[in-house]
Amino acid sequence: MKTLRVNMDRLEAKWESVLPEYERLGGRALIAKILLTEVPPQCEPLGPNNKLIFAPGLLGGTSLSSSGRLSIGGKSPLTGGVKEANCGGNGSSDLARLGVKALVVEGQPADEKLYQLCISGTGVELLPADEWRGLGTYATAAKAQERWGADCTVISIGQAGEFLMSAAGVVCTGHGEQNSRVAARGGLGALMGSKGLKAVVLNSSGADALPLADPELFRVSARRFAKELVESPKTGRKGAMHTYGTSAIVAAVNEMGAFPTRNFSEGSFETAENLYGQRLREITLERGGKVGTTCMAGCVIACCNVFVDENGKPVVSTLQYETIGLLGSNLGIGTLDEIAHLNRLCNDFGLDSIEAGASLGVAAEAGLARFGDKDSFVSLLEEITEGSVLGRVLGQGAAVTGRVLGVSRVPVAKGQAMPAYDPRALKGNGVTYAASPMGADHTAGNAFGARREVNPLGTEGQRELSLKLQLGAAMLDSTGLCLFARPPVYGDSQLMVDLINGRFGWGWSVADLEEFKKTVLKMELGFNEKAGLTLADARMPEYMTREPLPPHDTVFDVPEAELDAVFSAL
Ligand code: SF4
């Protein structure tokens, strides 16, 4: 595999051999290493010295179930630190099969125009795309597929990325109707916009299968991995993930009092039942939509849905838990139809639904919209896409919105909005939000699944739990495995080692894998330190430490000394 470097100053692309120090890294790990090696940590995130990196995980492009998450990264315009966000869809598999270990986009075009980068088996082309300026991601994907073929994968930004908004994500087309898989967090859509890149188009048709160092070891391990997923009560065909998708957890999070409600002022929502996974399934099937579909070819879990309106017309694929929380209960909105409408707008504008939902919640608290009134939030989202002054404030995320509007209840850590678990009722997540190099990010180490292991309302054991989960997430994000496919490898590190050895023949041991996970976090922490982030940034918003959260009336009270010590065992 090679590194593909695209220089936007000179508008040229060139292939390079992979540097030896990058060879045994992939996905999130490779992004951290490239940032540490090539990007000045103090650089302006939207300036010419930052780099936008696309990297398949180590196992991307293989036949292994659920291994096609595409990592996208750079210095975050939102947190000012390291950022990797990953998405499902076909991008990772296409890039890997086209022989791209990392796509590194550098510089900025002098003419401030927009471009499309097309990579296929026949070559690489960087072409004008200024006629796509102002288009949402759905229209951009349609234009690109009209030009390059319906089977192409399109990775694009919407208006939010063009306006360099810190709430902008990068949107990737996926398998079947899964046309909006978003690498949402950290403002990477703004970074892509700052490079003048409207879209990356991938066509891997005819590409050869990737070589395997030990085909038998890989095949046996991949088969065992898939079998365990299929037989698991969580991820198998009768499991909640396949049956209800991520919305399966709405009921449990609401019952534990951690479901963000009306700008994180309460932890349970009075009409949450209307948002349960069972309800989503019923509505979807009644109307002729789909459940149990996949975002990438070959995933045996198949957690996705195609949510349709009353006439059976697709609205959004997939309607997910975090979006239901941030654009639903957090805005006092209690119907899936209304949430799906807001979700579609976010996907089309290329907005992170978590950051956008948090901004809108803060705006409602400031009196600019009314909790429970969807149309008032649609108006604010339209301000974002029009690029009005108010829209540009909202599009910079919840922290900026709070400062401009004079709101002190702003649910952020390291400048990034919290996902749909209030950390006062799930304190392990609070530790992850505060300490993780990624800022408030549920995928960096989510304690929800460990709620029976460590009391979510207590302070004991949260630091150790968070570190364990952060190490696990670093491994998944670096290999390209979906977070939902973790059960087989969390319980059996040797299985992950066998998969890596089967693919590459590196002769890794479990100890090597453990060291690899630590190295990822150390690189990220190292970059953040050089970028100027300190332990003082590893904190919860002050109001969460003194404002009790109903119904348990708990505050976030994990001691600061514990937050400071999260990585002491690395
Ligand atoms: S479990 Fe769901 S999100 Fe993960 S790879 Fe499979 S279909 Fe995609």
Side-chain angles (χ1 to χ4, degrees), residues 256-274:
M256 70 193 287
F259 197 41
T261 300
R262 288 177 281 272
N263 191 31
F264 283 72
S265 62
E266 297 160 76
S268 62
F269 186 41
E270 60 280 3
T271 56
E273 267 185 40
N274 294 336

Side-chain angles (χ1 to χ4, degrees), residues 348-570:
D348 196 27
F349 303 161
L351 281 167
D352 171 9
S353 63
I354 295 175
E355 195 68 48
S359 286
L360 296 180
V362 171
E365 182 145 336
L368 298 189
R370 292 165 299 281
F371 288 117
D373 177 354
K374 183 204 70 169
D375 291 340
S376 67
F377 293 111
V378 170
S379 300
L380 292 184
L381 285 174
E382 285 170 348
E383 296 265 356
I384 296 178
T385 189
E386 284 159 12
S388 69
V389 174
L390 173 59
R392 285 172 191 254
V393 170
L394 297 167
Q396 290 304 334
V400 169
T401 300
R403 273 200 295 281
V404 174
L405 301 181
V407 174
S408 60
R409 186 188 287 125
V410 182
V412 300
K414 294 195 176 82
Q416 181 168 265
M418 291 177 192
Y421 314 84
D422 194 303
R424 288 167 285 185
L426 183 57
K427 292 180 187 174
N429 273 23
V431 176
T432 297
Y433 295 166
S436 160
M438 297 290 160
D441 188 336
H442 61 297
T443 66
N446 191 344
F448 173 74
R451 64 195 181 285
R452 292 189 186 89
E453 209 178 298
V454 175
N455 175 10
L457 295 171
T459 58
E460 283 292 304
Q462 304 293 3
R463 163 165 70 93
E464 296 80 2
L465 174 65
S466 174
L467 178 59
K468 183 176 95 172
L469 294 166
Q470 289 192 56
L471 288 166
M475 172 185 73
L476 296 172
D477 296 343
S478 301
T479 51
L481 273 183
C482 179
L483 188 61
F484 309 136
R486 65 190 180 276
V489 286
Y490 269 22
D492 182 357
S493 297
Q494 186 61 47
L495 178 56
M496 178 59 94
V497 167
D498 289 345
L499 286 163
I500 290 174
N501 287 339
R503 167 75 176 93
F504 298 105
W506 292 338
W508 271 16
S509 64
V510 168
D512 292 323
L513 180 66
E514 295 307 314
E515 200 49 44
F516 174 78
K517 296 180 200 170
K518 290 182 185 175
T519 303
V520 179
L521 290 182
K522 282 187 204 165
M523 289 191 294
E524 294 173 342
L525 292 165
F527 184 86
N528 278 2
E529 193 183 338
K530 289 180 180 161
L533 275 76
T534 68
L535 287 177
D537 296 296
R539 296 288 180 265
M540 283 288 98
E542 192 197 315
Y543 82 90
M544 288 190 168
T545 67
R546 57 180 164 69
E547 187 179 299
L549 179 74
H552 297 300
D553 292 329
T554 48
V555 296
F556 185 80
D557 54 358
V558 176
E560 291 185 353
E562 289 284 292
L563 299 179
D564 292 347
V566 169
F567 300 113
S568 56
L570 279 185

Side-chain angles (χ1 to χ4, degrees), residues 68 88-95 151 153 172-176 202 295-297:
N90 297 329
S92 166
S93 173
D94 284 334
L95 272 178
D151 291 340
T153 295
C172 184
T173 59
H175 194 231
L202 306 171
C295 74
M296 61 183 74

